[in-house]
Amino acid sequence: MSAVLEVLAGEPVAEVAVRWSVDVALLHRWVRAFTDAGTAAVTNRPEGHIARQRDRFLAAFAHEVRSPLTVAQGWVGLLLDDELPADDVRASVQRLHEALGRLAERTFDVELLAAASLGLLRPRRERIGVATLISSLPDAVPEVDGAVSGLAVEVDPELFPRVLRDLWWAASLLPAPRARRVEVGVDGPWIELRVVREGEPIPPAALQALFEPFDLGDDASGITIGLYLARALAVAHGGSIGVEQDDVQTALWVRVPLPQHDSGSTTPPRGDTP
């Protein structure tokens, strides 16, 4: 907020961005969002796309909550009817536990989105090794190349891994990739983590929907909030996310500031993680 107010007071955007260690393009978006929100508040007439985002949110949230809730209700019904053999009760309770866990996860996603939209998201920063972040991916534990094994970032240990998780998930969208890997590098004052998928490109419509707030694919593919939350979390860390794609590979990346005491270190080559 302070950076936005400095720009509105007449300070050059480039100088404010350097002072607050944020991307210039990101700061421009903040200023635009601030002025748009102020206009909507004064006129009491939110823009049409805000109303559409709200409606998409309601539809997507209902979809995301209904699925695990229906599963949980089904298993609870079976347990209450006492129709399951004793040997199957433990497995049923485990499935119920998993469904409730997914429901809690979706609810937490919405809480984070609400906090981000209200400007209340305050990451708790800790120094975490890049190798530790990558090892938190849900279905792979790649090893970091020695050239970048010592790199670290100062991020929220609970929130930032969700960004990398969502990029890893997005890289698995259909058509199924041949392989996925994580690349790590330093670009000026930024550490960049790139999830690279090898294979056919993600269809443009699906790729665009990934960054739309609370969107659902026309084919009911369940994209839902996609990378919208990941982008909000990256922004809260003073960074950004993006995508680059060609005929052979797609790279989904997140960029966050280097820890200040590391900003003068020598830039290592980008390393690949198999």
Side-chain angles (χ1 to χ4, degrees):
M1 179 64 72
S2 297
V4 171
L5 293 177
E6 289 180 11
V7 173
L8 294 176
E11 293 284 338
V13 175
E15 294 180 9
V16 175
V18 171
R19 187 156 57 244
W20 289 92
S21 299
V22 298
D23 187 29
V24 174
L26 176 60
L27 183 53
H28 274 297
R29 289 200 298 271
W30 285 354
V31 172
R32 185 169 59 252
F34 183 87
T35 55
D36 289 347
T39 301
V42 169
T43 62
N44 198 30
R45 297 178 62 184
E47 295 184 8
H49 79 278
I50 299 297
R52 289 192 295 272
Q53 288 180 9
R54 176 200 60 203
D55 294 340
R56 286 200 298 264
F57 161 73
L58 293 173
F61 180 60
H63 171 81
E64 287 288 274
V65 170
R66 183 169 56 249
S67 296
L69 184 59
T70 299
V71 172
Q73 288 174 327
W75 287 111
V76 167
L78 289 174
L79 291 170
L80 287 175
D81 290 341
D82 200 23
E83 295 179 355
L84 290 172
D87 293 342
D88 294 337
V89 170
R90 181 175 180 82
S92 301
V93 171
Q94 178 62 32
R95 294 187 180 95
L96 174 60
H97 176 74
E98 292 170 355
L100 292 175
R102 290 194 297 273
L103 181 60
E105 189 77 4
R106 299 290 75 78
T107 302
F108 187 46
D109 283 346
V110 174
E111 290 175 353
L112 291 176
L113 284 168
S117 67
L118 295 172
L120 301 177
L121 203 56
R122 298 289 185 270
R124 175 173 58 88
R125 298 181 185 272
E126 294 183 9
R127 187 179 179 89
I128 303 176
V130 169
T132 300
L133 282 174
I134 294 175
S135 68
S136 71
L137 291 172
D139 56 354
V141 186
E143 295 182 359
V144 178
D145 186 276
V148 296
S149 60
L151 286 178
V153 288
E154 290 182 352
V155 296
D156 190 299
E158 181 180 14
L159 300 183
F160 191 77
R162 302 173 77 91
V163 178
L164 195 58
R165 176 207 66 184
D166 288 353
L167 294 178
W168 185 257
W169 162 79
S172 67
L173 289 175
L174 296 175
R178 293 190 302 274
R180 289 177 292 171
R181 67 179 186 276
V182 179
E183 297 178 353
V184 184
V186 177
D187 184 6
W190 309 98
I191 284 185
E192 185 176 274
L193 292 88
R194 299 166 63 89
V195 176
V196 180
R197 67 176 255 143
E198 300 286 349
E200 294 182 48
I202 300 172
L207 199 60
Q208 180 179 353
L210 278 173
F211 291 92
E212 291 293 326
F214 324 115
D215 210 353
L216 282 168
D218 294 335
D219 59 354
S221 58
I223 288 176
T224 62
I225 61 175
L227 295 177
Y228 190 73
L229 175 58
R231 181 168 60 184
L233 294 177
V235 167
H237 285 85
S240 57
I241 66 173
V243 60
E244 302 165 7
Q245 183 166 252
D246 56 29
D247 292 338
V248 295
Q249 70 177 25
T250 302
L252 299 122
W253 52 263
V254 57
R255 185 180 294 172
V256 293
L258 272 169
Q260 290 187 355
H261 51 282
D262 292 345
S263 58
S265 61
T266 302
T267 300
R270 176 172 290 148
D272 294 352
T273 60

